[in-house]
């Protein structure tokens, strides 16, 4: 039960983040908004890390450098997200983001890229993506 | 419209990739170390892009409101909630609920026009559209893996 509540709040925060970023970017600019929210987030996370001390930098050293760089993608993600929300609203933007996100997962899982355990994709995955696309088309009418 | 759609789709593809990479870091380094690293990288990259495209303008913050500084809390809230829900639920379930919640809150905020969003009137079509998408998410996520595959996966994750 608590797990479900956490998951619901997690989703709400993700959406709120996109909406807040797009609001902030109206005033100070999109790159500025992206840099600002991530700087404050970084500082808070750093403070928590200081107290919690989970994991280790030793562990970080064992990760391939390219995987450590993934955070940089957020600059483009936030820019695109904010611009899309400005132009077509949150519901439509987030629907499109989710479809592309699941398609990407689908591609990586079915090909076993990046050392991910290869999974066979079956009919339900195709039906699922088809339903999501249909849902977006319904949204637009 | 088409441009916005392309932007949203490419953002989604990058989110998918980022999730995979971040999970790899998470397995070895723990969730707070990963969060700190990811946000730090994101900050550095946004700063660099801003400087490339806007030069000194990057440091001109017009109409800056004090609460903008607090916006980073949301990102931390996301991590706390996701980590906790993954610990308590089957991750596949957790992801499906998170994605569903994202969509419903987007519909809510659009309909209310909060936070400077242009208000988009709520219609039955929008609700049906979102419900169909949610159905798609659950079909995609929950019927994919057989129990055997799942067990194998857990074992591999553990070994990694």
């Amino acid at each position: 039960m608590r797990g479900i509540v956490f998951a619901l709040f997690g989703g709400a925060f993700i959406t709120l983040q996109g909406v807040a970023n797009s609001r902030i970017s109206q005033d100070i600019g999109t790159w500025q908004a992206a840099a600002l929210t991530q700087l404050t987030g970084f500082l808070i996370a750093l403070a928590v890390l200081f107290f919690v001390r989970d994991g280790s930098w030793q562990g970080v050293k064992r990760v391939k450098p390219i995987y450590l760089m993934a955070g940089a993608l957020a600059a483009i993600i936030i820019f695109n997200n904010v611009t899309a929300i400005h132009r077509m609203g949150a519901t439509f933007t987030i629907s499109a983001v989710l479809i592309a996100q699941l398609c990407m997962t689908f591609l990586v899982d079915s090909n076993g890229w990046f050392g991910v355990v290869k999974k066979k994709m079956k009919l339900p995955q195709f039906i699922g993506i088809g339903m999501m696309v249909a849902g977006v088309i319904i949204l637009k009418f | 419209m088409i441009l916005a759609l392309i932007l949203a789709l490419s953002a989604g593809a990058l989110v998918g990739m980022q999730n995979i990479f971040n999970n790899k870091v998470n397995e070895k380094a723990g969730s707070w170390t990963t969060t700190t690293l990811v946000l730090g990288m994101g900050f550095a990259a946004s700063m660099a892009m801003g400087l490339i495209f806007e030069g000194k303008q990057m440091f001109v913050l017009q109409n800056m409101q004090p609460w903008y500084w607090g916006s980073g809390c949301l990102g931390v809230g996301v991590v706390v909630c996701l980590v906790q829900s993954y610990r308590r639920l089957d991750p596949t379930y957790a992801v499906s609920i998170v994605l569903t919640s994202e969509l419903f809150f987007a519909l809510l905020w659009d309909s209310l026009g909060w936070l400077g969003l242009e208000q988009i009137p709520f219609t039955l079509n929008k609700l049906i559209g979102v419900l169909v998408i949610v159905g798609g998410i659950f079909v995609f996520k929950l019927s994919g893996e057989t129990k055997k595959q799942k067990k194998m996966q857990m074992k591999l994750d553990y070994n990694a």
Side-chain angles (χ1 to χ4, degrees):
Chain A
M1 188 58 214
R2 270 170 108 186
I4 295 175
V5 174
F6 275 117
L8 291 174
F9 270 98
F13 278 135
I14 292 174
T15 298
L16 185 57
Q17 207 178 16
V19 175
N21 278 338
S22 85
R23 173 73 191 82
I24 295 171
S25 71
Q26 282 174 351
D27 275 346
I28 64 173
T30 306
W31 295 118
Q32 287 84 347
L36 181 74
T37 52
Q38 293 190 92
L39 174 63
T40 50
F42 167 72
L43 293 175
I44 298 167
L46 194 64
V48 175
L49 181 64
F50 189 75
F51 287 109
V52 179
R53 292 191 181 278
D54 76 331
S56 65
W57 289 105
Q58 293 302 317
V60 173
K61 284 187 198 147
R62 285 187 286 126
V63 183
K64 271 193 198 164
I66 179 103
Y67 298 146
L68 298 176
M69 303 291 285
L73 294 175
I76 304 165
I77 294 170
I78 294 177
F79 182 88
N80 288 6
N81 212 18
V82 162
T83 312
I85 289 178
H86 277 311
R87 288 174 189 237
M88 57 183 192
T91 313
F92 206 58
T93 300
I94 288 180
S95 311
V97 167
L98 294 186
I99 291 176
Q101 188 182 332
L102 288 184
C103 284
M104 191 56 162
T105 313
F106 180 94
L107 263 178
V108 172
D109 281 352
S110 57
N111 289 304
W113 287 340
F114 309 120
V116 165
V117 185
K118 206 166 173 173
K119 275 189 228 158
K120 253 204 182 141
M121 291 297 150
K122 297 190 203 101
L123 192 61
Q125 274 71 47
F126 287 100
I127 296 174
I129 288 177
M131 280 173 74
M132 291 174 78
V133 174
V136 168
I137 295 168
I138 296 172
L139 267 185
K140 261 298 147 199
F141 283 98
Chain B
M1 179 68 208
I2 294 293
L3 177 71
L5 192 61
I6 292 169
L7 287 175
L9 289 173
S10 50
L14 291 177
V15 171
M17 264 174 73
Q18 207 194 22
N19 285 343
I20 292 160
F21 290 175
N22 289 351
N23 277 335
K24 300 235 171 218
V25 183
N26 206 357
E27 279 166 18
K28 299 219 165 82
S31 63
W32 283 105
T33 311
T34 309
T35 309
T36 310
L37 188 74
V38 168
L39 290 171
M41 285 286 176
F43 165 67
S46 308
M47 200 65 179
M49 296 291 259
L51 286 173
I52 290 167
F53 290 111
E54 301 190 4
K56 276 187 189 155
Q57 277 293 314
M58 182 64 189
F59 299 105
V60 181
L61 303 179
Q62 269 174 347
N63 307 318
M64 179 72 192
Q65 308 280 331
W67 72 268
Y68 295 171
W69 287 106
S71 57
C73 300
L74 293 171
V76 175
V78 171
V79 176
V80 172
C81 290
L82 296 192
V83 168
Q84 290 296 325
S85 68
Y86 286 6
R87 261 186 213 158
R88 286 156 211 263
L89 303 172
D90 178 313
T92 330
Y93 255 115
V95 173
S96 310
I97 297 170
V98 170
L99 301 184
T100 304
S101 164
E102 272 183 61
L103 272 175
F104 276 106
F105 276 99
L107 186 60
L108 183 70
W109 272 301
D110 269 342
S111 310
L112 294 170
W114 279 356
L115 281 168
L117 278 183
E118 198 184 322
Q119 194 173 3
I120 303 173
F122 177 82
T123 57
L124 191 60
N125 264 4
K126 298 231 158 61
L127 182 63
I128 296 172
V130 166
L131 286 172
V132 173
I133 298 173
V134 168
I137 292 172
F138 276 83
V139 170
F140 183 100
K141 283 288 178 191
L142 299 184
S143 51
E145 292 167 53
T146 58
K147 281 221 172 93
K148 201 176 156 197
Q149 261 180 330
K150 224 179 240 171
K151 256 186 201 158
M152 221 172 73
Q153 167 110 42
M154 275 172 73
K155 214 171 153 194
L156 283 165
D157 279 347
Y158 194 72
N159 287 339

